[in-house]
Amino acid sequence: MENDDRSSIGSAASHASNGWAAINWQRVQKSVRVLQNRIAKATQEGNWRRVKALQRTLTRSFSAKALAVRRVTENQGKKTAGVDRELWDTPQKKYAAIARLKKHWYRPLPLRRVYIPKSNGKERPLGIPTMRDRAMQALYLLALDPVLESVSDPNSYGFRKNRCTADAMSQIFLQTCRKVSAQWILDADIEGFFDHINHQWMIDHVCMDKSILRKWLKCGVVDRRQLIATTEGTPQGGVISPALANWTLNGLETQLLAHLEAKWGVTKAKKLKVGVIRYADDFVVTGTSQELLETEIRSWVDAFLAERGLRLSVAKSRTVHIDQGFDFLGWNFRKYSGKLLIKPNKKSVQALYEKARKVTNDHLGATQEDLIRALNPILRGWAQYHSPVVAKKAFSCMEWQLHWRLWRWAKRRHPNKKATWIRKRYWRPVGDRKWVFTADIPLKDGSKGMLELYQLSGTPIERHKKVKGAYNPYDESWEMYGETLRQERMLKTMRYRKEWSKLYADQRGLCALCEYEMDVDTGWHDHHIVRRVDGGSNALGNRVLIHPDCHRKVHSLGLQVVKPAPA
């Protein structure tokens, strides 16, 4: 197993001339994954000395360092610099950065404070680390994540592999859908979560290098050209911030249930129907009575949070009956005559309309094709998010509002034209639909095609298949389950690109070059084996899906990609 910067890939000096493009990413990922599996196994056995030793080995390895650099140079923040204004935007800089990821003499620079607008009109502060600090966080996250996944609560779904908001929604449904289910909900909200986490608690409890963690927590923030010391909280915007947040609230479910069983016994505790469903710092607690939640449960939660320097928001935390309903993660959960219905909440619907209105206003002088291309990703993403719930009515209402918004857009462009002329110019019948906002677009063969606005009401409603609570992505016994789950969800994501779905299924979800898994986080590129300029066709037999970085590697080194055998 590798212990320095020269193993797994070979000597760093021997690869200096080839650099970044010569790295064998399949071997890199396999080497890191083997160590992560060993860390998870040691965690499950409670062998913490071995966990620490394996984490040290991983963070010193060339493979983990290369993978950390790759992560921070291929994500959405790759063009956002820290206080040093440095970017790793060339292969030479990326390869040189691997050697800079050393603990010895490491000192993180202060974070660059930026503000992004929130839905309530306020601003959310983000702390942007430098590229080197981001890569160091990504490196130590590789060692921390197997431990976190092994000790996390079963019903914690935020920022964890193969878990999403729909899993949390499905668990709430299971907890509240029956007549004998819990009828009362503690809808909790933590006040200033990221800003008030106790530093000393994190240093004492997070299972990672304490000196490195202390440096990150105490590095300070540059806000409006002033250096501000950080005495509490963890900054939003860092690579490792979601993992630290999850670790802080980890135990909220398991420790609460253990407390109730110790106080009332296992049998009576089960009758209380207490369940905790958490997504990052948002969570709800179910129970059989209002008194139970407001006295016993809430007091315990207050003590649990106080130990970590946190507290519940008095104004936003409330106890409600399921017949009244509550909002969580963009959905409204409520029972109507004893039947639980989950719908998009009013805030989510209004936010979509405001976003569509802004896009329409920004494209007053644009072509119809450009407007449709700007609206379709927004509409498709919103519809896919709400497709597992009762959303048909919301989809139809939104389509109606959007229709009149587009009508005003078209009428403004042609104020002297009659309604019939405008309708024929921008709308046409498609199938059994009479009014479809459609534009003609040129195709590569010289003919004309048709681009239509995404149909919200045509989105199929399908129940979400929830991940199992005990699933651990670093446990080898769960490997087959995780692979199947990932492929099913990716195929659902690709539903509206049937050709991608076919390629993804044929390749078993693996990159055609490095043969490592592809998902939403890694991304993918539709690559032509024989280039179109060389006479290659657009048929599926001449196309494969590969990672974006593998695609750049193919073109920079002139590699030949072989069509994999169908699954």
Side-chain angles (χ1 to χ4, degrees):
M1 195 55 61
E2 52 190 332
N3 293 308
D4 53 37
D5 291 354
R6 296 176 300 175
S7 48
S8 178
I9 309 302
S11 170
S14 66
H15 287 76
S17 59
N18 296 328
W20 184 258
I23 295 177
N24 186 335
W25 290 109
Q26 184 179 4
R27 293 184 63 188
V28 163
Q29 290 160 333
K30 182 178 180 180
S31 176
V32 171
R33 189 56 182 258
V34 167
L35 271 175
Q36 288 180 320
N37 289 346
R38 293 176 63 188
I39 292 172
K41 184 177 180 181
T43 303
Q44 293 168 349
E45 295 172 351
N47 191 344
W48 297 107
R49 292 185 63 181
R50 183 163 179 77
V51 168
K52 187 176 181 180
L54 290 170
Q55 285 183 320
R56 188 186 305 114
T57 300
L58 181 60
T59 53
R60 291 179 180 180
S61 68
F62 180 90
S63 293
K65 292 178 181 180
L67 210 56
V69 173
R70 182 182 181 182
R71 171 170 180 172
V72 300
T73 55
E74 293 184 5
N75 58 15
Q76 293 182 350
K78 62 184 179 183
K79 296 182 180 179
T80 305
V83 293
D84 61 353
R85 300 297 177 181
E86 180 184 10
L87 291 177
W88 296 341
D89 50 4
T90 65
Q92 293 78 11
K93 290 181 180 179
K94 295 176 185 179
Y95 194 76
I98 297 175
R100 297 175 59 189
L101 303 186
K102 295 181 178 179
K103 177 183 176 181
H104 191 58
W105 298 112
Y106 169 68
R107 185 176 181 85
L109 294 176
L111 307 171
R112 181 167 69 89
R113 175 61 53 83
V114 297
Y115 295 90
I116 60 173
K118 297 172 64 175
S119 57
N120 58 6
K122 298 181 179 180
E123 291 184 323
R124 184 189 305 278
L126 293 184
I128 308 299
T130 64
M131 292 297 294
R132 185 191 181 196
D133 294 336
R134 266 179 265 175
M136 285 291 285
Q137 290 187 16
L139 174 62
Y140 279 85
L141 179 60
L142 290 173
L144 175 63
D145 203 42
V147 184
L148 179 59
E149 286 288 347
S150 301
V151 300
S152 287
D153 292 333
N155 294 307
S156 165
Y157 299 101
F159 305 108
R160 295 178 61 188
K161 288 189 176 182
N162 289 339
R163 294 177 185 244
C164 60
T165 53
D167 291 314
M169 176 272 296
S170 299
Q171 182 61 26
I172 295 177
F173 178 83
L174 294 175
Q175 289 281 120
T176 57
C177 65
R178 302 178 182 86
K179 290 184 178 180
V180 295
S181 298
Q183 301 297 306
W184 289 90
I185 312 293
L186 172 60
D187 184 10
D189 184 271
I190 301 176
E191 186 175 338
F193 174 71
F194 282 92
D195 299 330
H196 298 113
I197 302 176
N198 184 280
H199 282 183
Q200 193 56 49
W201 185 93
M202 296 182 70
I203 293 170
D204 292 340
H205 292 86
V206 177
C207 187
M208 64 170 290
D209 190 296
K210 309 298 182 184
S211 62
I212 294 291
L213 178 58
R214 183 180 287 105
K215 289 177 181 179
W216 287 336
L217 296 176
K218 305 294 185 182
C219 67
V221 175
V222 175
D223 189 1
R224 298 179 179 91
R225 298 185 178 181
Q226 290 190 355
L227 179 61
I228 303 173
T230 49
T231 58
E232 62 179 2
T234 179
Q236 300 182 61
V239 176
I240 204 171
S241 297
L244 296 179
N246 271 334
W247 194 287
T248 302
L249 293 180
N250 200 34
L252 184 63
E253 177 185 3
T254 53
Q255 293 181 28
L256 173 58
L257 296 180
H259 164 75
L260 296 176
E261 290 177 0
K263 184 172 182 178
W264 284 309
V266 176
T267 303
K268 186 175 180 181
K270 287 183 178 180
K271 293 180 179 179
L272 299 177
K273 303 185 188 304
V274 174
V276 181
I277 301 94
R278 179 168 66 86
Y279 188 90
D281 60 320
D282 296 323
F283 66 94
V284 297
V285 185
T286 63
T288 53
S289 69
Q290 183 178 12
E291 181 182 2
L292 171 69
L293 293 176
E294 291 186 347
T295 56
E296 182 68 29
I297 303 298
R298 183 154 183 168
S299 60
W300 186 92
V301 171
D302 286 336
F304 177 88
L305 295 178
E307 184 183 353
R308 293 152 175 78
L310 305 169
R311 64 180 181 181
L312 291 178
S313 171
V314 177
K316 297 181 180 179
S317 299
R318 62 195 186 110
T319 304
V320 297
H321 194 274
I322 192 63
D323 291 344
Q324 296 175 263
F326 66 97
D327 291 343
F328 189 65
L329 300 176
W331 292 299
N332 178 261
F333 299 78
R334 183 179 176 183
K335 274 191 175 181
Y336 299 83
S337 302
K339 184 176 183 179
L340 179 66
L341 296 182
I342 307 173
K343 306 177 181 179
N345 64 19
K346 294 181 180 179
K347 187 177 180 181
S348 176
V349 173
Q350 184 63 30
L352 174 67
Y353 179 76
E354 289 299 322
K355 190 177 293 186
R357 183 184 64 82
K358 184 178 185 304
V359 170
T360 306
N361 290 341
D362 291 343
H363 287 75
L364 293 177
T367 64
Q368 184 185 15
E369 178 186 347
D370 290 340
L371 177 59
I372 293 176
R373 292 191 186 279
L375 286 173
N376 274 356
I378 298 172
L379 300 178
R380 183 181 294 111
W382 189 81
Q384 287 183 347
Y385 183 83
H386 294 291
S387 62
V389 302
V390 184
K392 279 293 185 181
K393 184 177 180 180
F395 289 165
S396 299
C397 290
M398 180 53 62
E399 273 194 342
W400 181 254
Q401 295 181 53
L402 190 58
H403 169 79
W404 286 109
R405 171 60 56 182
L406 294 174
W407 180 264
R408 291 178 62 184
W409 174 87
K411 186 67 176 175
R412 184 185 183 279
R413 295 166 68 91
H414 308 284
N416 299 323
K417 295 292 185 179
K418 294 183 179 180
T420 304
W421 185 93
I422 294 175
R423 175 183 173 180
K424 291 181 178 179
R425 171 69 176 79
Y426 293 102
W427 282 268
R428 70 184 66 176
V430 177
D432 58 349
R433 293 181 292 157
K434 296 182 179 180
W435 288 63
V436 182
F437 195 67
T438 308
D440 290 325
I441 56 173
L443 300 178
K444 293 181 180 179
D445 58 2
S447 61
K448 284 188 176 182
M450 189 171 61
L451 177 68
E452 62 181 74
L453 188 71
Y454 179 79
Q455 184 189 10
L456 288 174
S457 59
T459 306
I461 303 298
E462 295 180 359
R463 177 167 291 184
H464 178 76
K465 182 179 179 181
K466 191 183 85 70
V467 66
K468 293 183 179 179
Y471 167 66
N472 184 346
Y474 299 102
D475 189 336
E476 293 181 351
S477 62
W478 286 97
E479 187 171 353
M480 183 62 70
Y481 172 82
E483 182 177 330
T484 304
L485 182 69
R486 176 178 56 83
Q487 291 188 24
E488 288 177 353
R489 293 188 175 182
M490 277 295 293
L491 289 173
K492 187 176 180 181
T493 302
M494 293 178 172
R495 172 188 294 150
Y496 301 99
R497 293 297 297 269
K498 295 182 179 179
E499 293 181 345
W500 283 357
S501 299
K502 181 69 167 59
L503 291 173
Y504 188 85
D506 288 345
Q507 296 175 205
R508 302 182 298 280
L510 305 178
C511 172
L513 183 67
C514 70
E515 298 182 359
Y516 193 75
E517 62 186 34
M518 293 181 295
D519 54 28
V520 176
D521 294 329
T522 64
W524 61 87
H525 187 91
D526 190 349
H527 173 71
H528 290 78
I529 299 174
V530 179
R531 297 184 304 173
R532 298 299 303 278
V533 296
D534 295 333
S537 71
N538 200 42
L540 291 181
N542 189 46
R543 292 158 57 190
V544 290
L545 297 181
I546 58 178
H547 292 124
D549 192 70
C550 293
H551 184 249
R552 288 188 287 270
K553 189 174 180 179
V554 166
H555 287 280
S556 62
L557 298 181
L559 301 179
Q560 182 67 31
V561 182
V562 180
K563 182 78 173 179

